[in-house]
């Protein structure tokens, strides 16, 4: 294959080019959308030869059925693998499809999993509630307590799973310590790196085994598709890819094409998200109506130091606690004119929400506070607008409370 993945290139160049064949079908410049369910064989001998090759191992030269692969999806996978510094990447229909298939691949009855306390609500439900029905137990440990993490390990523990940065307080994991604990105990370490993007953090460099992304966020970047990615060594990704063909949690070719289109501007977008995140966080921290800002690019954040060492930038999500409680927070959310009220992050449009009445609304107030979700917490996911406009907008909204 004529791809230049091995050349020493910087991130933006990789984001535009890697994984693409230099000469594509019909001499098309962009990767064509191969909208196709099944693939043909010239004759019985052609089929027999293909079957013989697949018996010997993976045949990367062709595909026989759409659930087992697609050239457009493959091009997106190769680009993300290159950005993440991974041997291989597998794509899925959503971030949750990636996490579900990953857990199904490595966990079974009477096995045990450890997750960190602050996580995407659906991931938490999946690990703690759904897999319990199949005999998988799960321990939840606080972020940043490596002793608790190590003490939670049992003989049947197979995996430790954490986000970094986490949602919504942007806690950052010391990835060297995290992967070291996994290695010493012979268990898999997995990082959900959605909030970081491969341009700000490359967990595999620190010895982490597998990285997952919700491609619906920064990777695609335009709030127009759902996708999920899993990156790591070929052998480990291969185990999950096998199951992907069985479970069918695949990404469709049109979505892969939109993902590739989004990836081409990842370098530009992420630097703008980083700049905007930092400026907005500083502004909010200095504001008299804000109690506390959670952004790892600020010295006041508990993980400032580790973020500074591990990350190139801290991204676009800024969480802050408003003086005056949940109602005051709601007033600010309602008064901003640029960010839309919506879940999600990592797209070009700024989005704003109160986690207490978005992802955690179904819980009783005590359950929410047990999970650390305060009523006055606002999560702002800054887009790629001009920071001066975002700051002016937040300023006028804060003046209204
Ligand atoms: C959004 C998100 C997910 C889930 O991804 P979907 O693509 O929405 O299924 C998982 N983890 C994190 C950290 C996320 O932000």
């Amino acid at each position: 294959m004529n791809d230049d993945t091995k050349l020493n290139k910087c991130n933006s160049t990789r984001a535009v080019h890697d994984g693409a064949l230099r000469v594509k079908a019909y001499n098309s410049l962009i990767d064509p959308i191969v909208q196709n369910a099944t693939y043909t064989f010239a004759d019985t001998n052609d089929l027999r030869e293909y079957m013989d090759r697949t018996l010997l191992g993976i045949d990367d030269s062709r595909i026989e059925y759409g659930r087992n692969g697609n050239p457009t999806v493959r091009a997106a996978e190769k680009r993300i693998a290159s950005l993440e510094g991974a041997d291989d990447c597998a794509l899925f229909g959503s971030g949750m499809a990636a996490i579900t298939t990953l857990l199904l691949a490595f966990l079974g009855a009477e096995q045990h999993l450890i997750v960190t306390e602050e996580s995407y609500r659906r991931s938490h439900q999946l690990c703690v509630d759904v897999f319990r029905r199949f005999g998988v137990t799960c321990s939840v440990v606080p972020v940043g307590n490596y002793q608790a993490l190590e003490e939670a390990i049992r003989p049947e523990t197979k995996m430790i799973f954490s986000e970094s940065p986490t949602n919504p307080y942007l806690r950052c994991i010391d990835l060297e310590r995290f992967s070291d604990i996994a290695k010493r105990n012979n268990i898999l370490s997995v990082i959900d790196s959605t909030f970081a993007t491969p341009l700000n953090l490359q967990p595999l460099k620190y010895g982490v085994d597998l990285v997952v992304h919700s491609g619906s966020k920064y990777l695609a970047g335009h709030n127009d598709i759902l996708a999920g990615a899993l990156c790591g060594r070929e052998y480990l990704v291969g185990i999950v890819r096998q199951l992907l063909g069985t479970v069918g949690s695949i990404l469709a070719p049109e979505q892969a094409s939109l993902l590739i289109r989004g990836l081409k501007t990842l370098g530009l977008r992420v630097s703008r998200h980083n700049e905007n995140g930092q400026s907005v966080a500083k502004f909010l921290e200095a504001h008299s109506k804000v109690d506390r800002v959670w952004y790892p690019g600020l010295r006041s954040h508990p993980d400032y130091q580790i973020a500074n060492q591990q990350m190139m930038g801290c991204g676009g999500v800024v969480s802050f606690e408003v003086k005056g409680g949940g109602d005051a927070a709601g007033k600010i959310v309602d008064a901003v004119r640029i960010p839309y009220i919506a879940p999600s992050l990592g797209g070009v449009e700024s989005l704003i929400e109160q986690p207490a009445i978005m992802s955690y609304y179904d819980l009783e107030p005590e359950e929410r506070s047990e999970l650390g979700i305060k009523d006055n917490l606002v999560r702002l996911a800054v887009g790629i607008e001009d920071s001066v406009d975002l700051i002016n907008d937040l300023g006028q909204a804060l003046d209204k409370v």
Side-chain angles (χ1 to χ4, degrees):
M1 177 178 197
N2 181 16
D3 89 42
D4 296 336
T5 308
K6 297 283 178 285
L7 276 182
N8 206 5
K9 283 168 289 185
C10 299
N11 282 331
S12 283
T13 312
R14 286 180 189 282
V16 177
H17 290 292
D18 273 8
L21 291 167
R22 196 71 190 170
V23 179
K24 302 173 191 74
Y26 308 110
N27 300 306
S28 169
L29 170 64
I30 68 153
D31 279 292
I33 301 175
V34 182
Q35 178 65 63
N36 183 39
T38 191
Y39 297 81
T40 64
F41 293 87
D43 52 29
T44 302
N45 199 41
D46 186 24
L47 171 62
R48 203 181 287 282
E49 276 180 19
Y50 168 76
M51 286 308 205
D52 285 342
R53 285 197 305 273
T54 52
L55 284 181
L56 292 174
I58 297 169
D59 180 355
D60 215 11
S61 65
R62 64 158 295 159
I63 299 158
E64 97 294 7
Y65 187 63
R67 201 182 339 91
N68 297 330
N70 174 281
T72 315
V73 174
R74 192 69 194 127
E77 287 174 340
K78 289 191 170 186
R79 189 159 306 180
I80 293 169
S82 166
L83 288 168
E84 198 59 79
D87 295 340
D88 200 6
C89 165
L91 286 172
F92 303 80
S94 69
M96 287 318 301
I99 296 169
T100 304
T101 314
L102 163 74
L103 297 187
L104 280 173
F106 293 110
L107 293 166
E110 287 164 34
Q111 293 180 334
H112 176 245
L113 151 85
I114 304 169
V115 297
T116 48
E117 213 162 39
E118 253 188 64
S119 65
Y120 190 69
R121 184 80 198 284
R122 295 290 188 189
S123 305
H124 187 89
Q125 285 171 344
L126 185 67
C127 292
V128 175
D129 301 330
V130 179
F131 271 79
R132 173 179 296 157
R133 291 201 280 116
F134 304 97
V136 179
T137 50
C138 181
S139 302
V140 183
V141 299
V143 182
N145 188 338
Y146 299 93
Q147 192 184 338
L149 177 61
E150 190 136 24
E151 281 169 7
I153 294 172
R154 311 174 192 162
E156 65 274 23
T157 306
K158 286 284 172 266
M159 182 188 288
I160 52 176
F161 182 104
S162 181
E163 290 167 23
S164 190
T166 62
N167 180 26
Y169 291 106
L170 290 303
R171 298 297 309 271
C172 300
I173 301 289
D174 182 334
L175 295 176
E176 236 162 275
R177 288 181 80 173
F178 185 78
S179 70
D180 183 56
I181 290 171
K183 282 204 181 79
R184 278 192 281 105
N185 291 280
N186 203 20
I187 55 188
L188 275 179
S189 53
V190 183
I191 290 289
D192 179 337
S193 196
T194 300
F195 274 49
T197 84
L199 299 203
N200 281 334
L201 181 72
Q202 296 186 318
L204 300 173
K205 274 192 190 156
Y206 298 91
V208 169
D209 293 311
L210 287 162
V211 172
V212 290
H213 285 281
S214 165
S216 326
K217 315 294 167 56
Y218 292 101
L219 297 184
H222 294 72
N223 290 320
D224 53 4
I225 66 157
L226 297 184
L230 177 77
C231 298
R233 270 172 287 156
E234 203 166 352
Y235 156 72
L236 290 175
V237 175
I239 293 172
V240 185
R241 194 190 294 285
Q242 278 288 320
L243 197 63
L244 169 62
T246 306
V247 173
S249 44
I250 53 167
L251 187 68
E254 305 93 326
Q255 311 298 298
S257 176
L258 285 168
L259 178 55
I260 292 170
R261 155 126 74 157
L263 286 170
K264 289 177 186 179
T265 55
L266 186 67
L268 291 171
R269 287 187 288 107
V270 168
S271 30
R272 179 59 77 94
H273 282 293
N274 288 345
E275 285 163 26
N276 282 358
Q278 190 72 35
S279 308
V280 165
K282 259 194 210 157
F283 166 78
L284 289 170
E285 187 162 57
H287 202 284
S288 61
K289 295 199 177 140
V290 174
D291 244 347
R292 172 145 200 199
V293 181
W294 296 85
Y295 189 73
L298 296 177
R299 283 179 192 281
S300 56
H301 191 276
D303 303 316
Y304 170 76
Q305 220 136 28
I306 193 70
N308 205 22
Q309 285 165 27
Q310 288 181 168
M311 297 180 72
M312 302 298 292
C314 294
V317 178
V318 182
S319 294
F320 59 101
E321 292 167 34
V322 175
K323 278 193 184 136
D327 290 343
K331 272 193 194 135
I332 290 163
V333 167
D334 288 342
V336 291
R337 299 209 183 96
I338 296 173
Y340 289 93
I341 301 176
S344 203
L345 61 123
V348 295
E349 298 92 356
S350 289
L351 303 177
I352 196 164
E353 57 147 310
Q354 275 173 278
I357 53 175
M358 184 69 79
S359 311
Y360 296 88
Y361 193 59
D362 58 314
L363 298 182
E364 297 298 324
E366 311 81 64
E367 293 176 298
R368 269 202 296 277
S369 70
E370 225 168 80
L371 287 172
I373 303 298
K374 297 182 186 166
D375 288 346
N376 67 340
L377 184 73
V378 176
R379 193 188 80 176
L380 172 63
V382 297
I384 61 164
E385 301 93 342
D386 292 293
S387 62
V388 59
D389 294 330
L390 293 173
I391 286 170
N392 284 341
D393 189 25
L394 283 165
Q396 65 82 22
L398 285 159
D399 285 344
K400 298 217 164 98
V401 295

